[in-house]
Amino acid sequence: MSSAALAAVPVLVAADPAVAAEELPGFPAGVDLYRSAYRNWVGDITAHGLWACAPTSPDQVVDVVNWAWRNGWTARARGASHGWAPLTITEGTPSDARVILVDTTPHLTGVSLDATNAVRAGTGITLEALLTFLEGHGLGVTHTPAPGDITLGGALAIDAHGTAVPAVGEERLPGHTYGSLSNLVLSLTAVVWDEAAGRYALRTFTRDEADCAALLTHLGRSLVTEVVLRVGANVQLRCVSRTDIPAKELFAAPGSSGRTLEHYLNESGRVEAIWFAFTEHPWLKVWSIAPTKPASSRQVDSPYNYPFSDHLPTVVSDIGVRLATKTAWYLAPVFGNAQLAAVRAGLLATGSKDIWGPSKNALLYLRPTTLRLTANGYALHTSRAQVQRVVSEFTSFYRELLDAYAAKGRFPVNGTVELRVTGLDDAADVELDGARTPLISAARPFEEHPEWDTAVWLDILTMPGTPHAEAFLRDLEQFLLATFDGRYARTRVEWSKGWGYTRDAAWADEEVLDTVIPASFGEDVWREASDTLTRLDPHQVYGNAFLNRLFS
């Protein structure tokens, strides 16, 4: 196993019973307790030797949460730790912090299906395991994040998504959504404060309840143990990769002819562009529904069909090592072009330019062994007709800004720009009367702009510690907020990634935290979410310094 893979696995050290009894007096008997390291996806938030536990049932979770409340501790749910933002713990959390990590992956993984195609699943199940189960019953989802190791609970906490809008003439299939995964929830069970009982208890919330709307995207300010999702018939997907379209053509001004992003959206509805820094040709993936295998496609019977992106060729990894360990950041243009060359060679060598199979096998492609980079993230809401304009204006500014920094000998980006496009969270998709829209999902529609039916998701990735990265990303964020300000598009942050930049740090800009974020949802909606999450957890058992600041 590679070092990257090992980093994704929590390090477990069984607790000494005498030490545990002294440091955690009265901890629930029968709940596995141990010392554990914590590391987020990129390793810029770490902690060593925290107390952690692995409840075998929701009832044991309740016991742990009540113990934490009575003893002045916080309880933080942990799944795959595949995120960037400080939503679980904050950087600098000491090993003796009064924090108990609640590991969901060992036991909270049950899954079952009912006669209405509703799937009940524990929040510790991974997306790959869930989608594999669904595939075995002829079911699936429209889109999903690329990594299969993310837990369901983690995905729903931050309204995770893939990439899909309806192609021209395409009708949504029953049980599917073009919005986030949170929009599939029919009901969820969480451990919340029970005022009458004077303790925390399990409570099931159905999608038509007002409180459920706050829990559908809760950012870690609650602890959900089980969910029921609406799902629909699985489809066969073809995925064609292209690296021959220049960025100036793919991201051209609106109204341009040729191979534009808009052209492929209209044709297939499912696109992703990965644009390596300082290169001219993005890696474009285009998925399309194909009930039968096209003659030119290679059938794939399992996911992760781009091994060259999971394990970089030696020449590419060597440049990466020089970047990171020898502070040779000026090699960013060389690194970007080497990565693009590796993709082109890898697609040919593995026969992966044109693949076809059950949706899971075409949608999941990122393993924990891939190069780990920091990432910022935003959702730009607009109308379908304005997508090309939004993409063109963003990419033009990004290129100009990158060139301006390079002219000063600064190379803040050595990874990629990634662009995806989805629909929004339409509560009607779950086919439940009175279903509520997730309150603070980044894919929540703007009520005052019903014509905005699309979200353009963009991320910029770079190696942790790259000089001038935060300043560059602040410049970019300020452009997004100023340009997509509500006239024809509006910017929201993508919760799990980087945002709120000062010149030195992410998640630190007070204006973004106090004004921009609440305004992007509407002050009333933001306050409803904050008040609900506080009422369901009045003792801030699920808080941390960052979340308490965000919802203050």
Side-chain angles (χ1 to χ4, degrees):
M1 184 179 292
S2 71
S3 59
L6 284 170
V9 180
V11 179
L12 310 182
V13 179
D16 182 306
V19 173
E22 179 179 350
E23 295 192 20
L24 290 79
F27 191 81
V31 180
D32 291 340
L33 189 63
Y34 43 87
R35 292 282 193 178
S36 175
Y38 175 88
R39 181 189 192 275
N40 73 342
W41 171 249
V42 78
D44 56 3
I45 299 178
T46 61
H48 302 282
L50 293 177
W51 284 107
C53 64
T56 59
S57 68
D59 286 337
Q60 283 197 345
V61 176
V62 172
D63 292 340
V64 170
V65 171
N66 278 306
W67 175 88
W69 158 57
R70 292 182 178 116
N71 289 274
W73 285 53
T74 58
R76 311 300 299 132
R78 176 171 68 179
S81 303
H82 192 135
W84 292 261
L87 304 182
T88 301
I89 64 169
T90 56
E91 177 58 13
T93 299
S95 60
D96 61 352
R98 297 168 73 83
V99 176
I100 182 77
L101 298 175
V102 182
D103 285 334
T104 62
T105 57
H107 304 294
L108 302 183
T109 57
V111 59
S112 62
L113 189 69
D114 71 16
T116 67
N117 284 348
V119 60
R120 182 181 300 274
T123 51
I125 193 172
T126 64
L127 294 186
E128 181 180 357
L130 175 64
L131 294 176
T132 299
F133 173 84
L134 293 177
E135 183 183 302
H137 291 82
L139 301 169
V141 299
T142 301
H143 59 95
T144 182
D149 68 317
I150 297 175
T151 62
L152 177 60
L156 296 176
I158 49 86
D159 65 282
H161 63 93
T163 183
V165 293
V168 172
E170 178 183 337
E171 296 291 334
R172 182 185 63 84
L173 294 174
H176 285 254
T177 185
Y178 296 106
S180 72
L181 290 181
S182 294
N183 196 48
L184 292 173
V185 173
L186 284 167
S187 68
L188 57 84
T189 301
V191 183
V192 300
W193 179 252
D194 184 329
E195 183 66 32
R199 64 193 300 272
Y200 285 83
L202 289 169
R203 177 180 160 193
T204 297
F205 301 80
T206 56
R207 184 68 181 269
D208 56 355
E209 293 183 65
D211 285 354
C212 190
L215 295 171
L216 292 169
T217 302
H218 60 74
L219 311 187
R221 274 294 282 117
S222 190
L223 203 164
V224 177
T225 61
E226 186 179 73
V227 297
V228 178
L229 304 175
R230 172 75 71 208
V231 291
N234 202 14
V235 298
Q236 304 291 105
L237 286 181
R238 179 189 192 187
C239 184
V240 175
S241 287
R242 304 192 62 156
T243 57
D244 62 328
I245 306 174
K248 63 183 179 181
E249 180 179 359
L250 186 65
F251 306 137
S256 301
S257 59
R259 299 169 296 179
T260 64
L261 196 75
E262 181 180 43
H263 165 78
Y264 291 105
L265 278 178
N266 291 338
E267 187 176 76
S268 73
R270 298 154 174 81
V271 301
E272 177 185 55
I274 300 176
W275 188 16
F276 296 102
F278 300 101
T279 66
E280 293 303 319
H281 293 81
W283 176 10
L284 176 68
K285 297 192 190 80
V286 180
W287 291 265
S288 55
I289 297 175
T292 58
K293 188 181 85 66
S296 62
S297 299
R298 177 172 68 88
Q299 182 170 338
V300 290
D301 300 313
S302 60
Y304 313 114
N305 291 290
Y306 309 108
F308 51 86
S309 65
D310 297 324
H311 303 277
L312 293 177
T314 301
V315 64
V316 181
S317 61
D318 284 350
I319 299 172
V321 168
R322 290 190 64 189
L323 276 167
T325 63
K326 300 183 183 300
T327 63
W329 304 109
Y330 61 87
L331 290 175
V334 177
F335 190 51
N337 282 277
Q339 290 180 91
L340 176 59
V343 167
R344 285 172 164 164
L347 288 170
L348 288 174
T350 61
S352 299
K353 290 187 70 173
D354 185 350
I355 61 175
W356 174 89
S359 62
K360 166 182 63 68
N361 300 335
L363 294 174
L364 297 180
Y365 66 83
L366 189 65
R367 290 185 183 274
T369 50
T370 192
L371 183 65
R372 299 202 172 197
L373 304 171
T374 60
N376 73 350
Y378 304 91
L380 309 180
H381 283 237
T382 192
S383 65
R384 177 73 171 269
Q386 296 281 12
V387 167
Q388 188 69 28
R389 176 182 180 180
V390 167
V391 168
S392 177
E393 291 179 350
F394 159 68
T395 53
S396 294
F397 179 81
Y398 165 77
R399 186 195 289 268
E400 292 170 3
L401 187 63
L402 197 63
D403 288 345
Y405 269 71
K408 298 177 181 178
R410 299 173 179 177
F411 298 88
V413 179
N414 42 56
T416 61
V417 170
E418 296 183 354
L419 289 163
R420 302 176 184 87
V421 185
T422 72
L424 304 182
D425 288 344
D426 183 349
D429 292 350
V430 295
E431 302 158 23
L432 176 69
D433 289 343
R436 305 295 183 112
T437 303
L439 283 177
I440 56 171
S441 164
R444 178 185 175 86
F446 283 82
E447 293 182 6
E448 65 273 28
H449 286 285
E451 75 278 13
W452 293 354
D453 56 1
T454 306
V456 177
W457 302 82
L458 59 91
D459 311 305
I460 296 176
L461 295 88
T462 195
M463 287 188 180
T466 301
H468 312 294
E470 287 77 14
F472 178 91
L473 295 173
R474 176 175 173 79
D475 289 342
L476 181 79
E477 182 175 82
Q478 292 300 306
F479 165 80
L480 296 176
L481 295 174
T483 304
F484 308 120
D485 60 353
R487 290 168 295 149
Y488 57 91
R490 186 73 183 269
T491 303
R492 281 192 183 137
V493 303
E494 184 175 5
W495 290 120
S496 65
K497 295 178 180 171
W499 40 266
Y501 288 92
T502 64
R503 308 299 289 183
D504 304 307
W507 315 293
D509 183 85
E510 292 188 0
E511 182 180 3
V512 171
L513 291 171
D514 296 338
T515 304
V516 170
I517 288 175
S520 73
F521 291 96
E523 296 288 346
D524 291 343
V525 169
W526 182 257
R527 180 50 54 194
E528 180 183 353
S530 180
D531 289 350
T532 301
L533 293 170
T534 298
R535 175 166 46 79
L536 297 177
D537 176 29
H539 306 286
Q540 294 188 326
V541 172
Y542 304 128
N544 68 27
F546 175 73
L547 289 172
N548 296 344
R549 167 70 178 79
L550 181 64
F551 288 105
S552 62

